[in-house]
Amino acid sequence: MSSLRNHRVIIASLFLPTTAVLGESSPPTPDIYAREIGATATQDLGGRPPAFKHTSSRSIGSTPAPLKSIVDDLKSRAITPISTPPSESNPFSKFASLAPSPGSISPPSIQTIDASLAKFQPDSPHPVRLQRRSSSKPPKHPVRSYSYSSTTSEPYYFAPNTHCNGGLKNAVDSVKDRMTTKLWVGTLGNSTDAYSTELKASIDRRMKEMHSSLPVWIPDAEFESCYDEFCHQVLWPCLHYAVPDAPKTKLFFESAAFKQYAAVNKRFAEAIESVWTEGDVVWINDYHLMLLPLLLRQSTRIPALACAPIGYFMHVAFPSSEIFRCLSVREHLLRGMLGADLVGFQTASYARHFRQTVSRILAVEALPKGIQVEYGVPGGAREGHGRFVDVGVFPMGIDVGALRERRREPDVSYWVQLLKQRYAGMMIVVGRDKLDEIQGVKHKLEAFEVFLKKWPEYQGKVCLSPPPPPPLPIFPSLLPIRVILLQVALQTTESNELAAGGVSEIVARINSAFSTLTYQPVVFLHTQEVTFSQYLALLTVADAFLVTSLREGMALRTHEFVECQDGRHRPLILSEFTGSYSYSGFRSCIAVNPYDTHGTAKAIRQALTMSDEEALSRWEDLHNHVVTQTAQTFVTSFLTRCLRANTEHITQTDLNSVPALNTTLLLPRYKHSSRRILLLDFEGTLWHSDMSRAGLLAPFVPPEGAIELLNKFSANKRNEVWLLSGLPIKSLEQVSEKAPGVGIVAENGCFAKIPVQNGKGGVWISMVANLNLTWKGLCVEILNYFTERTPGSFVEEREASVVWRFWTGPTDDSSDRQWARRQAAEAQNHIFDSLGERYGLRIIPGSNSFLVLPNNISRSTAVGAILHPGGPAHSPRSSSMPDLDIPVNGGGGEAGFVFAVGGDEKLLRRLNELDNAETVSTSGKGTDARWKLSAEDVGDVMWLFANCP
């Protein structure tokens, strides 16, 4: 992280952490003002508003509304069905026994509990620019500050943005002592068409000065089409495995909103271009900005952005290729993401899905570490030159230290004591979810209903309550939530969302079936009704925490629950479809399939009846992960990896800047070296094969010119010559018979043959002797299936690898070739899914074929064994190598000159680490090699070296 002190980090997210609200701000209380003066844009943990007052800042022009506390609401609505209108009087609101006496506890900064008898009034409606159809984020406490005015006397003040990515904001805040300079780039989240030019300029200036933020000004209609239509009706369902039925949702498959999505991404690119300087790191976040990395790479205004460190992180899930390929704009989105140096995901499965999707749709090579993009950056400085895009896993976490500080505050202790008294003798299950179909709230309630029916002894003892997040979400997972108490529950203000998802009906059914005068099994609280102190208190007193998400990136609220349970150690019930569950530390939870209603009900009972010893053991495993994978770890690991990846990428030089091979300079070195190792590629360098179907199917005949050159090299006793090839052993054996003094690497590193010296050697050595090769039969079976459906294609089964030639016709972009390429992408996906992880395979795609071979086997690994002091006879990859007593590497001494000629970039890059190596690329692409040589000149140049003594 120390390296970041020298870089400014530009953080691009759709919404800024801070927004501007028109109007006069309320005068801050002295203690709040003292804490907020000079604070950062989104406020430190200590700069929160008092728990007794709340002002909504959902949008400009919003009207403040009073906040009711959680206990106030529970007392006034303890047995009120969810369908009861807010204006209707609650006949049980005067039960004094439903709450402890106001005088029994002395809250440090909270209104007296007498106010709880006041009738609940919902928030007044707010004119919101952004209203997500499936769920909407709750308003949060604004940061009260002095109002500002522009030259047109339009007063405004700054407040936390209700739509910002809370997890990202808090993760960045957790490393503010180490990330010395940063700049947020995003939108305000308000309707801004009516803003004057002077007002925008004033906001721009003060946002940059006070909150290190750069607003992106986007027309309302354009933004709403991008956000409400494309992001939330196209991308969000797709990324969460919720592709709708085509007849009902034509918008999903034929969305015209992609134009607005691209326009918004373009505006972000222009904003970043206006402030980017050399040395800045660009960090792009989430699915709203999938096109932005490539747009920055293609910048004509700032050409240096083509080499800038750019990282992209996907905060939500990424689906399998079968889902993502349904998108009509799939290629645009994938190529946009591949403009980054590093693409990060929450879990290994999401990263794997991305690699497979890119390989299948774009037909590029997907490696465990990332994506090899052959086409480079279209329109950028490296167009036409390949580049590598790192793909990594960076799980988000919470700021454990800050959460512990909050838990020690008097407010939290007060609410913990109050809740314990209020629900003495009851068991509480807490849940917290967005009112989104993906969050599985309906499944949760149905499972709770089954639980009450199947184990009636818990009726009246257990409460279910899902609360939305507190007004000021200090920690990452604070989104619209619900609390599940096995006797009490919470409700949100978005009744339309409840009704749309069928939640309100289920809650009413459960309450009507199991409620009594003193017991209501399910209660919902509004988002605005829960302060952060109250939320922490709920997590502290909970007997279990229940998450039934149908798909989720990372359930950080579970991390908060685990930390708050320090001292009680109650169990966590977690959906196996959350990102958190994919980590070994969270396998100590009680895992549930949210689609299995009876299984989830059984898990609730298991949690409530779990012994203290078992609960403690499970909690310790969970807690170890929470304190290890923190918000600080997430930020530092991602940005450090991004910088390292960029450094590796920019070292690859464009072909135009690579000097042509200077024989005048190298020939003297070659002549005066007593020991020389020559590493020569066969295909594409010494021999150009006929790639037509007839030529590929014809028997292999060793080219006489190449054989003559190899024999000339090997005849010099100072030379050790190695021929590197992807051909099978049976073909290269013919080369060996005619050039016995040449060592051969076959099948791209799977086998090596020792050169014959003094009548010894000439033995093939397997580099895959310890590997399971039973996958070949299964792979050939899959490829035969696709061969039947792809005219002109055929399979080449070799000793340790398999090649599928899916196109052998003309290289024009005909419809037949396009079909063949689609079939090749399908075949690669099937092989990778069914065999790749199981057997450890990798797939190397080409323009007309692809190769399947074991992982960690390549020409580079074979050469590494050759150059090893023990030589290939002591390669660690073989357990059945012959006992050779011949010297290797020219008598065992260190070679004075290593000369590599070919197109394998991985090998050339590795050899560059040797001081005595000269690397020459013949690929005609961007290369790390020290020299370049055209394929037509290879023969003449090689003979110059061969004729030297």
Side-chain angles (χ1 to χ4, degrees):
M1 190 66 180
S2 59
S3 61
L4 289 178
R5 299 184 187 275
N6 302 322
H7 299 269
R8 181 179 65 166
V9 180
I10 298 177
I11 308 168
S13 184
L14 187 63
F15 299 109
L16 293 172
T18 305
T19 188
V21 182
L22 290 183
E24 298 286 348
S25 65
S26 302
T29 57
D31 60 325
I32 298 297
Y33 176 75
R35 285 183 294 186
E36 289 178 353
I37 193 72
T40 59
T42 52
Q43 297 300 297
D44 298 333
L45 296 178
R48 65 190 186 287
F52 60 83
K53 191 174 181 70
H54 170 65
T55 303
S56 176
S57 62
R58 186 178 300 183
S59 66
I60 288 182
S62 60
T63 304
L67 172 67
K68 309 271 305 172
S69 74
I70 178 174
V71 176
D72 292 344
D73 188 74
L74 289 176
K75 289 186 298 181
S76 63
R77 301 163 59 206
I79 61 173
T80 303
I82 193 170
S83 57
T84 301
S87 60
E88 186 174 317
S89 298
N90 187 340
F92 303 102
S93 62
K94 303 299 183 181
F95 279 146
S97 60
L98 293 181
S101 172
S104 61
I105 304 172
S106 177
S109 62
I110 305 176
Q111 287 179 316
T112 62
I113 212 164
D114 293 335
S116 65
L117 300 180
K119 185 177 178 180
F120 169 74
Q121 296 292 338
D123 285 347
S124 57
H126 303 282
V128 184
R129 165 182 175 173
L130 305 171
Q131 181 65 43
R132 180 175 168 176
R133 298 184 64 168
S134 57
S135 71
S136 61
K137 295 189 176 183
K140 306 162 188 176
H141 285 301
V143 177
R144 294 185 176 86
S145 60
Y146 292 118
S147 300
Y148 307 100
S149 297
S150 66
T151 56
T152 58
S153 300
E154 296 175 278
Y156 64 91
Y157 63 96
F158 294 127
N161 196 329
T162 64
H163 304 281
C164 79
N165 186 326
L168 175 64
K169 176 259 178 188
N170 292 295
V172 171
D173 285 351
S174 69
V175 295
K176 59 185 177 183
D177 57 332
R178 286 173 284 178
M179 188 188 295
T180 55
T181 55
K182 62 179 180 291
L183 178 67
W184 291 88
V185 178
T187 67
L188 298 178
N190 299 325
S191 177
T192 59
D193 279 358
Y195 284 24
S196 64
T197 303
E198 295 79 5
L199 177 60
K200 291 180 180 179
S202 176
I203 293 175
D204 280 343
R205 183 177 65 258
R206 295 191 181 277
M207 285 287 281
K208 184 175 183 181
E209 294 173 354
M210 300 180 60
H211 303 293
S212 300
S213 298
L214 174 65
V216 180
W217 302 101
I218 301 174
D220 291 350
E222 180 180 293
F223 187 92
E224 289 169 3
S225 179
C226 162
Y227 185 74
D228 292 331
E229 293 182 24
F230 191 78
C231 289
H232 287 157
Q233 297 182 47
V234 178
L235 282 182
W236 177 266
C238 175
L239 296 173
H240 291 84
Y241 289 78
V243 177
D245 295 334
K248 299 178 183 179
T249 53
K250 183 178 180 181
L251 176 65
F252 181 90
F253 299 95
E254 301 179 14
S255 175
F258 180 71
K259 293 181 179 179
Q260 284 70 40
Y261 180 83
V264 169
N265 278 252
K266 180 64 175 177
R267 292 182 187 273
F268 268 79
E270 292 171 350
I272 293 174
E273 289 173 351
S274 67
V275 296
W276 185 86
T277 58
E278 193 74 31
D280 286 351
V281 180
V282 182
W283 183 4
I284 303 168
N285 291 274
D286 229 353
Y287 63 98
H288 313 96
L289 303 173
M290 295 174 73
L291 303 178
L292 184 54
L294 183 59
L295 290 175
L296 293 176
R297 293 290 186 207
Q298 295 176 331
S299 173
T300 56
R301 177 181 174 185
I302 310 292
L305 276 168
C307 298
I310 299 176
Y312 176 89
F313 187 78
M314 179 70 79
H315 289 261
V316 298
F318 196 91
S320 69
S321 59
E322 285 294 334
I323 301 295
F324 197 87
R325 67 196 292 249
C326 296
L327 292 174
S328 61
V329 292
R330 58 193 184 182
E331 291 193 22
H332 298 283
L333 298 174
L334 292 177
R335 293 184 189 276
M337 296 172 67
L338 291 176
D341 293 297
L342 171 65
V343 179
F345 295 91
Q346 298 273 20
T347 71
S349 61
Y350 300 155
R352 183 179 68 253
H353 289 164
F354 175 72
R355 293 195 302 268
Q356 293 174 356
T357 300
V358 170
S359 176
R360 181 179 189 181
I361 295 176
L362 301 183
V364 296
E365 181 180 3
L367 303 173
K369 185 183 176 183
I371 307 294
Q372 182 63 51
V373 184
E374 295 296 335
Y375 54 80
V377 179
R382 296 188 54 76
E383 182 174 5
H385 309 298
R387 58 189 298 270
F388 190 83
V389 179
D390 281 29
V391 177
V393 179
F394 307 91
M396 290 191 71
I398 63 173
D399 188 347
V400 177
L403 182 59
R404 288 174 179 171
E405 289 293 326
R406 291 301 305 271
R407 288 188 62 218
R408 287 194 286 264
E409 294 182 353
D411 286 9
V412 179
S413 301
Y414 164 72
W415 287 111
V416 168
Q417 187 178 358
L418 193 62
L419 287 170
K420 286 181 178 179
Q421 294 184 23
R422 169 64 181 83
Y423 302 113
M426 297 184 183
M427 305 182 74
I428 303 175
V429 177
V430 178
R432 174 183 175 283
D433 308 277
K434 294 165 62 177
L435 286 179
D436 190 308
E437 188 175 348
I438 302 299
Q439 297 299 313
V441 178
K442 183 177 179 181
H443 301 72
K444 178 186 301 184
L445 293 170
E446 290 174 342
F448 184 64
E449 182 180 22
V450 171
F451 166 77
L452 292 177
K453 290 179 179 179
K454 194 171 183 178
W455 291 280
E457 63 270 21
Y458 286 97
Q459 296 177 19
K461 297 180 180 179
V462 181
C463 302
L464 176 71
S465 77
L472 182 60
I474 301 301
F475 295 93
S477 64
L478 296 185
L479 300 171
I481 59 177
R482 300 176 171 155
V483 176
I484 295 185
L485 308 159
L486 291 187
Q487 193 195 26
V488 205
L490 310 175
Q491 177 187 6
T492 76
T493 56
E494 288 81 8
S495 58
N496 59 323
E497 292 184 351
L498 286 169
V503 173
S504 59
E505 290 83 355
I506 301 174
V507 172
R509 184 176 71 231
I510 296 174
N511 286 342
S512 63
F514 302 105
S515 292
T516 66
L517 289 177
T518 58
Y519 170 66
Q520 178 179 326
V522 180
V523 179
F524 275 69
L525 288 182
H526 300 174
T527 294
Q528 300 90 335
E529 297 171 340
V530 184
T531 66
F532 191 67
S533 297
Q534 295 163 354
Y535 170 65
L536 294 182
L538 283 170
L539 296 183
T540 302
V541 303
D543 293 285
F545 193 85
L546 178 59
V547 177
T548 56
S549 303
L550 306 183
R551 192 72 57 173
E552 188 168 359
M554 188 66 66
L556 292 183
R557 57 194 181 281
T558 61
H559 298 226
E560 295 166 348
F561 168 74
V562 170
E563 179 58 32
C564 288
Q565 283 290 311
D566 187 4
R568 297 196 68 233
H569 315 130
R570 299 317 301 163
L572 167 67
I573 308 171
L574 182 63
S575 167
E576 61 189 42
F577 297 114
T578 61
S580 298
Y581 180 71
S582 65
Y583 290 94
S584 59
F586 268 76
R587 296 300 171 88
S588 292
C589 68
I590 301 176
V592 296
N593 177 355
Y595 298 99
D596 181 4
T597 304
H598 289 270
T600 305
K602 184 179 179 181
I604 295 174
R605 185 175 185 273
Q606 179 186 353
L608 298 178
T609 59
M610 184 177 293
S611 66
D612 292 341
E613 293 75 14
E614 181 183 354
L616 174 60
S617 176
R618 289 173 177 264
W619 179 85
E620 287 175 343
D621 291 339
L622 295 169
H623 191 250
N624 286 337
H625 176 87
V626 171
V627 299
T628 302
Q629 190 54 59
T630 62
Q632 292 88 338
T633 303
F634 162 69
V635 175
T636 56
S637 60
F638 181 85
L639 292 177
T640 302
R641 174 80 175 272
C642 181
L643 284 171
R644 184 172 71 247
N646 176 259
T647 301
E648 294 173 355
H649 299 165
I650 63 177
T651 56
Q652 189 179 57
T653 312
D654 290 342
L655 186 65
N656 292 334
S657 59
V658 177
L661 181 62
N662 189 335
T663 55
T664 304
L665 181 64
L666 293 189
L667 279 174
R669 284 191 57 196
Y670 178 84
K671 291 179 181 179
H672 295 94
S673 296
S674 58
R675 298 183 181 90
R676 303 176 292 223
I677 295 180
L678 281 71
L679 306 169
L680 308 176
D681 271 4
F682 191 37
E683 303 96 310
T685 299
L686 299 184
W687 172 58
H688 298 276
S689 61
D690 181 2
M691 299 305 295
S692 66
R693 180 179 177 82
L696 292 171
L697 293 176
F700 173 75
V701 178
E704 293 299 330
I707 297 297
E708 183 181 359
L709 177 64
L710 292 172
N711 283 325
K712 182 67 174 179
F713 272 124
S714 61
N716 192 320
K717 295 184 178 180
R718 290 193 289 170
N719 292 341
E720 182 178 337
V721 185
W722 287 87
L723 185 67
L724 312 181
S725 175
L727 295 178
I729 290 178
K730 63 180 181 180
S731 298
L732 293 175
E733 187 64 39
Q734 301 179 50
V735 176
S736 180
E737 292 175 357
K738 296 185 177 183
V742 176
I744 299 176
V745 173
E747 293 192 32
N748 294 289
C750 293
F751 301 94
K753 187 172 187 179
I754 306 296
V756 176
Q757 296 182 17
N758 302 322
K760 297 181 179 181
V763 180
W764 284 101
I765 299 172
S766 174
M767 301 289 187
V768 294
N770 290 336
L771 302 181
N772 182 0
L773 299 180
T774 57
W775 60 267
K776 286 201 308 168
L778 300 173
C779 181
V780 170
E781 184 178 348
I782 294 174
L783 292 176
N784 285 336
Y785 170 86
F786 284 95
T787 298
E788 295 174 358
R789 290 154 179 78
T790 310
S793 64
F794 62 93
V795 180
E796 292 182 19
E797 183 178 1
R798 300 173 178 177
E799 293 292 330
S801 59
V802 177
V803 177
W804 189 42
R805 307 281 183 180
F806 57 83
W807 180 253
T808 55
T811 57
D812 59 342
D813 196 21
S814 63
S815 59
D816 289 341
R817 190 184 185 198
Q818 291 178 9
W819 166 256
R821 289 179 64 85
R822 285 196 295 270
Q823 291 295 97
E826 291 282 350
Q828 292 178 50
N829 188 69
H830 279 282
I831 294 171
F832 200 96
D833 287 345
S834 59
L835 306 175
E837 289 192 25
R838 180 181 176 187
Y839 292 97
L841 306 178
R842 70 187 181 108
I843 301 174
I844 304 177
S847 58
N848 299 312
S849 64
F850 66 79
L851 169 69
V852 185
L853 75 166
N855 263 332
N856 301 320
I857 294 294
S858 64
R859 300 185 188 192
S860 178
T861 58
V863 170
I866 293 170
L867 298 180
H868 190 272
H874 296 83
S875 171
R877 296 200 169 275
S878 178
S879 62
S880 59
M881 293 186 179
D883 183 14
L884 304 178
D885 57 0
I886 62 170
V888 294
N889 294 352
E894 182 180 355
F897 187 79
V898 178
F899 192 39
V901 183
D904 191 315
E905 282 301 314
K906 186 176 181 181
L907 171 61
L908 299 177
R909 190 181 304 116
R910 183 174 181 178
L911 291 174
N912 280 341
E913 299 175 2
L914 302 178
D915 295 335
N916 57 345
E918 295 293 341
T919 54
V920 184
S921 173
T922 60
S923 65
K925 303 177 182 178
T927 179
D928 287 329
R930 296 173 180 173
W931 309 95
K932 65 180 178 183
L933 183 63
S934 65
E936 296 78 11
D937 297 333
V938 169
D940 294 338
V941 173
M942 288 298 98
W943 274 107
L944 289 177
F945 285 90
N947 290 324
C948 289

